[in-house]
Amino acid sequence: MRVVDVLLPVALDHAYSYRAPEGLALAPGDLVTVPIGTRAATAVVWAENPEPSPRLDNRMKDVEDKLDVPPLKPELRNFIDWVSRYTLSPRGMVLRMALRMGEELGPARERVGVRLAGPAPQRMTAARSRVLALLADHLAHGKSDVAAEAGVSPGVIDGLLDEGTLESMVLPPEPVARAPDPDFVRPDLTAAQRDAADKLRALADGSYGVTLLDGVTGAGKTQVYLEAVGEIIRRGRQALVLVPEIALTAQFLDRFAERFGVRPAEWHSQLSPRLRARTWRAVAAGEVSVIVGARSALFLPYADLGLIVVDEEHDPAYKQEDGVRYHARDMAVVRSRGAGIPIVLVSATPSVETEVNARRGRYARVHLPERFGSQHLPAIETIDLRAEGPPRGRYIAPRLAAAVTTALERGEQALLFLNRRGYAPLTLCRRCGFRLACPNCDAWLVDHRFRRRLVCHHCGFGMPPPAQCPHCQAADSFVAVGPGVERLEQEAAELFPQSRILVLSSDLVESVERLRQELDDVAVGRFDIIIGTQLVAKGHHFPKLNLVGVIDADLGLSNGDPRAAERTFQLLHQVIGRAGREEGRGIGYLQTHQPEHPVMRALIASDRDAFYTSEIELREKTHYPPFGRLASLVVSAPERLSAESYARRLAAISPHADNVRVLGPAEAPLAVVRGRHRFRLLVKSPRAFDLSVYLREWLAAAPKRKSNLKLDVDVDPQSFL
Ligand SMILES: [Zn+2]
Ligand SMILES: [Zn+2]
């Protein structure tokens, strides 16, 4: 009897033993169907089990079937094991990310095609003639495509089939993406870009190594790394391009198509289940040469991965904050090391971690010094809100308003940046001072006036604005305090009545397609003023945009996050970099209460290196990453007391290790979320210390938890709320 250990994509760490039925050849990596409880699940053979425990014998079930897909290679299985060990997540949960197509992996559905076969029908209708016009080329077309394009029901086509005017056949499945042509166009590069592209192309020959591609916004980093991608295509291998937010990649897809003739395959959460399943198969079979995707694309079963590119590597969106808490940039480095392939990290404002690695020579650096063509970096000025702020209840200072007016008169676009969704972050009763708070969280409700709702940004709770104050019963007594993008729009509409204004904010995004359309509308000049959250900071190109006004440059500087200065610098640098990329010199205005802050000073002086040098010094002195390591443990429970006492007991049994400190427990800055009280412990260790092993040992000795008490472990946390 042969026994295999099978890993299931569920929240369990260990593999289960199953009997391999006679005649079913099974090897590690094979995808199989196994019974679990009363149902069947897709799982993966993790190992042979040469000595199954005899007491399991009579309870052991048979593997039901083997799926007809390529096995998960050792490289991916090792990666799954590694991520699980590092993040302290059950292996099954990590496997689940690699099997995102889940149960959809059945046989591909047949695609029915139709084409002209016989004489015209006796009875002609408008609908029929539209169908026949579409098929006039005598080629086979997908039946459902024809119905959709002609705007007819499938019944119309069935009628034509019955009469013999059309015939049907089974079409081969449509490819997920057509093959890109590395020689589709010869790119038009500057000398500096050519030099950088040569260095990146040379990586295609090599083995594991990390390269930072570093250059200001608009320097043409994408064109340059696409040359390395082209080299991988030429060799018949696969390249993965990770992007922080797939909704914002329309221009990347277009640029890719301009360079290689076709769009790459995409991987993100908005793919239909069928397209996911087909893409997964195509990646595993090596039929897709380039994938552009969100962080989950890192767990795809590449047949022959040759290169990983992480665009905007500093972006916080690469950290997954629920389920398996992993940082996709860091794990991409791990995967490329395991696969023995090069990886390119791309940024105009690298993370401090990456910058330190580049400065110390652990990462190679390829630098793009200038903006493409004749473009210049925008000039940056501060507006000191203490001295020349806007009138009370207003948020656009007079000097910024005057600059916007000038830009509009010149036919240019202006971007007003405020990283706050909704109308106002706080609503209070002007009579009694009562503040509208979330019933489940320690947070104020945010007024979303476009949707006529007050919403909690932490749990999603929402309610219509109350007619009366719940505390003093006064009617119409609520006032909005502070600005959000929706309120800013109101002010802009009053200040610039003739202008066409668009608000871009993630909560207003109905679909990826709609957002891509709106970004295109901005690019061709259908709007004069764009008001946006960080959604607008990320890489897309607005040729007519020449002015960026940052409404609250201090937002995010004072939130107790060790990366607050870095994040603020990156975000503001990026958003101001949107200005003036095509014609003339752009200008950025920073409205701030602290113009002397190092972040503001570095931005004004366009002195990125000075900012990094001072920030790196500070991190080194305080032993914050990358000069020390952090892990956070959050204990939460419906009752405050049980969360706190468990956190205390946990702290009390923390193992001793040299230079490892356990801070807390302290009430979390967000003390209540979704009705759960939260206490935080922070572990600080030296850089070379194995925190995962330490944590595992600690948690193995942790007191038993009641079922309503939760412990969330986050290695290398990005969020400190
Ligand atoms: Zn809430
Ligand atoms: Zn009141």
Side-chain angles (χ1 to χ4, degrees):
M1 181 187 73
R2 274 183 68 212
V3 172
V4 288
D5 288 344
V6 165
L7 191 61
L8 288 148
V10 296
L12 290 168
D13 205 39
H14 55 277
Y16 281 87
S17 298
Y18 284 87
R19 246 188 319 247
E22 204 69 44
L24 188 65
L26 290 177
D30 282 343
L31 273 75
V32 290
T33 314
V34 293
I36 172 161
T38 56
R39 62 189 188 93
T42 301
V44 177
V45 176
W46 221 246
E48 293 268 355
N49 187 339
E51 289 166 356
S53 152
R55 70 191 167 79
L56 282 177
D57 227 23
N58 44 6
R59 285 194 292 137
M60 208 183 298
K61 294 180 177 161
D62 282 4
V63 171
E64 281 178 3
D65 204 1
K66 181 169 134 179
L67 299 180
D68 181 23
V69 290
L72 299 192
K73 301 194 328 177
E75 178 263 311
L76 177 54
R77 283 181 280 131
N78 291 339
F79 179 58
I80 290 168
D81 285 338
W82 199 98
V83 173
S84 154
R85 255 197 318 274
Y86 188 83
T87 61
L88 277 83
S89 309
R91 270 193 306 177
M93 290 286 282
V94 183
L95 174 66
R96 191 150 86 183
M97 298 196 292
L99 296 182
R100 274 283 163 77
M101 69 312 142
E103 313 303 320
E104 296 288 333
L105 261 190
R109 219 196 295 165
E110 269 184 2
R111 209 160 70 95
V112 176
V114 290
R115 75 172 157 227
L116 278 182
Q122 299 197 331
R123 194 173 55 84
M124 191 56 102
T125 64
R128 285 182 161 192
S129 64
R130 284 202 301 277
V131 170
L132 295 178
L134 276 170
L135 295 170
D137 58 8
H138 291 268
L139 297 176
H141 293 253
K143 183 180 163 189
S144 50
D145 299 343
V146 172
E149 251 179 90
V152 304
S153 72
V156 173
I157 297 174
D158 290 336
L160 291 166
L161 286 167
D162 290 345
E163 290 183 31
T165 306
L166 303 182
E167 64 177 356
S168 68
M169 75 287 303
V170 174
L171 294 179
E174 229 176 321
V176 168
R178 284 179 296 134
D181 174 4
D183 301 309
F184 183 71
V185 293
R186 183 183 282 257
D188 183 19
L189 301 177
T190 64
Q193 289 172 330
R194 221 170 15 245
D195 191 41
D198 287 344
K199 286 180 187 146
L200 294 191
R201 256 198 302 264
L203 296 175
D205 287 324
S207 47
Y208 166 71
V210 189
T211 303
L212 168 62
L213 173 60
D214 153 8
V216 295
T217 311
K221 297 188 291 293
T222 309
Q223 290 96 312
V224 167
Y225 75 66
L226 283 182
E227 292 314 298
V229 170
E231 201 55 40
I232 294 294
I233 298 170
R234 206 166 274 133
R235 283 151 205 255
R237 303 188 71 190
Q238 292 172 304
L240 162 65
V241 178
L242 283 178
V243 291
E245 192 137 12
I246 197 79
L248 299 174
T249 55
Q251 285 182 341
F252 171 82
L253 298 175
D254 290 345
R255 219 176 265 177
F256 188 94
E258 280 162 27
R259 175 64 185 81
F260 298 117
V262 296
R263 287 184 156 211
E266 292 182 66
W267 184 263
H268 53 81
S269 59
Q270 290 205 14
L271 293 185
S272 71
R274 271 192 68 211
L275 186 54
R276 289 176 86 78
R278 287 174 47 215
T279 305
W280 193 95
R281 274 176 188 272
V283 168
E287 292 160 12
V288 161
S289 53
V290 182
I291 280 273
V292 55
R295 56 191 180 224
S296 57
L298 192 55
F299 292 88
L300 282 171
Y302 298 94
D304 185 16
L305 191 58
L307 173 73
I308 301 178
V309 176
V310 184
D311 204 350
E312 306 288 4
E313 66 90 29
H314 63 277
D315 197 300
Y318 279 124
K319 178 69 190 256
Q320 174 153 304
E321 294 288 1
D322 51 9
V324 179
R325 290 164 191 266
Y326 70 98
H327 197 298
R329 179 237 304 144
D330 297 346
M331 294 307 114
V333 172
V334 171
R335 184 152 190 191
S336 61
R337 190 173 62 207
I341 58 169
I343 178 168
V344 179
L345 308 179
V346 184
S347 179
T349 50
S351 63
V352 168
E353 284 87 344
T354 297
E355 178 66 21
V356 167
N357 280 325
R359 286 189 179 194
R360 312 224 157 161
R362 285 191 285 266
Y363 293 177
R365 189 198 297 265
V366 172
H367 185 65
L368 270 177
E370 66 203 44
R371 281 201 152 191
F372 191 65
S374 59
Q375 297 161 17
H376 297 283
L377 284 174
I380 301 172
E381 293 181 18
T382 52
I383 293 176
D384 186 343
L385 291 173
R386 297 166 305 187
E388 46 170 339
R392 220 181 128 73
R394 297 284 175 155
Y395 302 95
I396 301 172
R399 189 144 62 92
L400 175 57
V404 172
T405 304
T406 310
L408 297 180
E409 280 166 6
R410 285 200 212 122
E412 297 167 358
Q413 288 172 325
L415 166 66
L416 299 177
F417 174 75
L418 176 63
N419 204 13
R420 231 186 215 153
R421 292 175 282 147
Y423 183 85
L426 173 65
T427 305
L428 61 74
C429 170
R430 77 164 74 80
R431 212 172 114 197
C432 74
F434 181 81
R435 296 161 171 223
L436 289 173
C438 176
N440 312 317
C441 305
D442 180 21
W444 309 125
L445 291 177
V446 179
D447 183 358
H448 284 254
R449 224 162 261 197
F450 289 1
R451 287 187 283 153
R452 294 178 186 281
R453 280 182 88 72
L454 295 160
V455 177
C456 172
H457 283 181
H458 299 286
C459 72
F461 170 86
M463 65 179 213
Q468 291 185 322
C469 171
H471 189 248
C472 73
Q473 272 74 47
D476 291 327
S477 65
F478 284 110
V479 283
V481 180
V485 282
E486 295 178 14
R487 190 173 200 172
L488 201 58
E489 190 215 20
Q490 205 174 50
E491 187 176 338
E494 286 167 26
L495 285 172
F496 318 106
Q498 304 303 324
S499 60
R500 298 161 298 174
I501 303 174
L502 175 69
V503 179
L504 284 173
S505 171
S506 57
D507 61 301
L508 302 173
V509 172
E510 284 166 22
S511 68
V512 169
E513 286 314 311
R514 174 79 191 277
L515 176 63
R516 285 177 178 174
Q517 184 57 49
E518 287 181 335
L519 294 170
D520 282 349
D521 288 346
V522 174
V524 299
R526 291 208 182 95
F527 293 96
D528 307 307
I529 298 177
I530 304 102
I531 294 176
T533 61
Q534 62 181 352
L535 193 68
V536 300
K538 295 179 185 175
H540 34 84
H541 179 39
F542 301 142
K544 292 179 164 40
L545 180 66
N546 238 354
L547 180 144
V548 173
V550 176
I551 299 301
D552 185 351
D554 310 332
L555 193 70
L557 270 183
S558 54
N559 59 5
D561 182 334
R563 293 187 181 85
E566 176 191 344
R567 290 271 158 77
T568 304
F569 178 78
Q570 286 161 342
L571 188 59
L572 297 185
H573 185 280
Q574 199 167 20
V575 72
I576 288 173
R578 302 275 139 234
R581 289 177 65 176
E582 208 125 287
E583 281 166 35
R585 186 161 194 208
I587 182 152
Y589 289 91
L590 299 169
Q591 297 193 156
T592 172
H593 285 95
Q594 26 188 342
E596 68 294 336
H597 193 285
V599 168
M600 307 306 156
R601 294 226 304 251
L603 287 168
I604 296 160
S606 288
D607 195 347
R608 197 190 80 167
D609 285 348
F611 172 75
Y612 280 107
T613 301
S614 75
E615 185 66 18
I616 288 169
E617 253 170 46
L618 186 71
R619 299 268 182 102
E620 194 159 18
K621 209 158 62 193
T622 53
H623 306 290
Y624 271 116
F627 302 100
R629 300 196 55 205
L630 297 173
S632 88
L633 286 76
V634 173
V635 177
S636 66
E639 303 83 35
R640 189 178 188 281
L641 194 63
S642 59
E644 183 174 14
S645 69
Y646 188 87
R648 284 193 190 292
R649 278 191 291 155
L650 200 57
I653 59 153
S654 62
H656 174 80
D658 281 347
N659 300 317
V660 175
R661 289 173 62 203
V662 175
L663 310 170
E667 191 162 56
L670 251 176
V672 186
V673 174
R674 295 173 203 272
R676 301 180 70 87
H677 293 260
R678 306 166 74 239
F679 282 81
R680 291 182 69 96
L681 294 154
L682 191 67
V683 188
K684 262 180 110 171
S685 84
R687 195 178 82 83
F689 184 77
D690 192 336
L691 256 183
S692 301
V693 166
Y694 175 87
L695 290 168
R696 194 166 296 109
E697 188 186 318
W698 181 6
L699 298 182
K704 219 176 130 42
R705 293 194 291 277
K706 276 191 249 153
S707 60
N708 60 6
L709 196 135
K710 242 179 91 185
L711 173 60
D712 286 309
V713 180
D714 189 355
V715 179
D716 307 336
Q718 298 281 315
S719 165
F720 293 83
L721 289 178

